[in-house]
Amino acid sequence: MDSPEALLPIIFNEVTKHVALSEQDLTPSRAKEIHELNSLYRDLVALNADVPPPPNQINGRLNDQVRKLKDAGNASYKKSQYSDAVRMYSLAIEMALKRPPWEASGFAREELSVLYSNRAQAHMSTGAWGDAMVDADTAIYLKRNFPKAHYRKGKCLQHMGRLHEAKAAYELGLESGGADGSDAELKSSLAEVNELLYL
C-alpha cells in the first residue's frame, strides 16, 4: 500500500461517477485499489440507498431468489431429475455468491454450505462422485460441523475406493453431532466401510 503522504490527483468521471488516476500515477497496487473503490460504488448504487445497510441485515430480494432456486432444485431432485437439480443448485450458488461484501458472512456461509451439500447429493445421484466430493468438501469448509456433508463426502470416497478416507469422513461426521438426522446413516456407513477394510 502507498504511504499516506503520497497524495495523488484523482480524476472523477461525471458520467460514470467512477474515479481514476493518470497513467503516470498508476501502479498495479493503485489500479487494484481504484478498481475495488469503483466496484464498491457500483454495489452501493445497486442497493438504491445512500449507505450500506447494517451488517446483520440481509438483502431480501436476493434471499428470495436464492431460496426459489434452491426450492426448484429440491423439487427436481424429488422427481429424480438430478441433472436439473444440479443446474438449479448451481444457479442458486452463483446467485448467493453475488451477496455484497458487507452482508453478514455467517448467513452467507450457512446458505452456501447447504447449497453445496444439496448439489453434492444431486451429483451423487448421477454417479458424478468426484464432483460430489468437491461439493461436499466445500460445504464442510464453509460449515465444519455439518454431519450430512461429512456423510456425503464419505459416500463419495467410498464409491471411489478410498476406504480409509471414507472412514475418517464418517468419524468426523459423528464427532460433529449428527444433529441434522444423519447420525444413523453415518453409523451404518462407518460399519459398512469397517467391514470392507477388515475383510
Side-chain angles (χ1 to χ4, degrees), residues 9 26 33 59-60 77 86 98 113 149 158 161 165-166 168 171 184:
L26 205 58
E33 288 177 17
N59 183 328
Y77 184 83
V86 167
K98 290 182 180 175
S113 66
Q158 189 174 339
E165 292 171 84
E171 288 171 345

Side-chain angles (χ1 to χ4, degrees), residues 137-170:
D137 219 19
T138 303
I140 293 164
Y141 171 77
L142 291 165
K143 182 181 173 187
R144 188 82 180 131
N145 292 331
F146 195 170
K148 196 171 284 187
H150 286 286
Y151 166 75
R152 290 173 178 166
K153 179 180 178 180
K155 274 294 173 197
C156 294
L157 290 164
Q158 189 174 339
H159 276 85
M160 294 162 71
R162 295 161 60 180
L163 299 180
H164 289 285
E165 292 171 84
K167 178 182 177 180
Y170 295 140

Side-chain angles (χ1 to χ4, degrees), residues 42-59:
R42 279 192 304 276
D43 288 343
L44 287 171
V45 167
L47 279 178
N48 294 321
D50 292 332
V51 294
N56 60 348
Q57 188 172 330
I58 304 299
N59 183 328

Side-chain angles (χ1 to χ4, degrees), residues 30-155:
R30 289 176 184 159
K32 183 177 184 261
E33 288 177 17
I34 291 290
H35 174 73
E36 288 171 354
L37 184 61
N38 288 328
S39 293
L40 179 61
Y41 171 77
R42 279 192 304 276
D43 288 343
L44 287 171
V45 167
L47 279 178
N48 294 321
D50 292 332
V51 294
N56 60 348
Q57 188 172 330
I58 304 299
N59 183 328
R61 283 182 302 168
L62 183 60
N63 204 26
D64 290 342
Q65 290 170 330
V66 171
R67 191 180 315 109
K68 283 177 187 175
L69 288 166
K70 179 185 155 201
D71 291 346
N74 291 345
S76 293
Y77 184 83
K78 285 176 185 168
K79 294 177 191 171
S80 301
Q81 297 169 345
Y82 304 123
S83 296
D84 193 51
V86 167
R87 189 172 64 82
M88 289 295 122
Y89 293 136
S90 297
L91 288 169
I93 288 167
E94 193 177 309
M95 186 73 63
L97 288 170
K98 290 182 180 175
R99 288 197 178 281
W102 56 79
E103 281 194 0
S105 65
F107 177 84
R109 289 175 76 89
E110 178 73 27
E111 177 180 64
L112 283 165
S113 66
V114 170
L115 291 169
Y116 277 109
S117 180
N118 286 4
R119 191 172 72 175
Q121 182 64 45
H123 277 309
M124 288 166 65
S125 299
T126 66
W129 301 107
D131 291 335
M133 197 203 65
V134 169
D135 278 351
D137 219 19
T138 303
I140 293 164
Y141 171 77
L142 291 165
K143 182 181 173 187
R144 188 82 180 131
N145 292 331
F146 195 170
K148 196 171 284 187
H150 286 286
Y151 166 75
R152 290 173 178 166
K153 179 180 178 180
K155 274 294 173 197

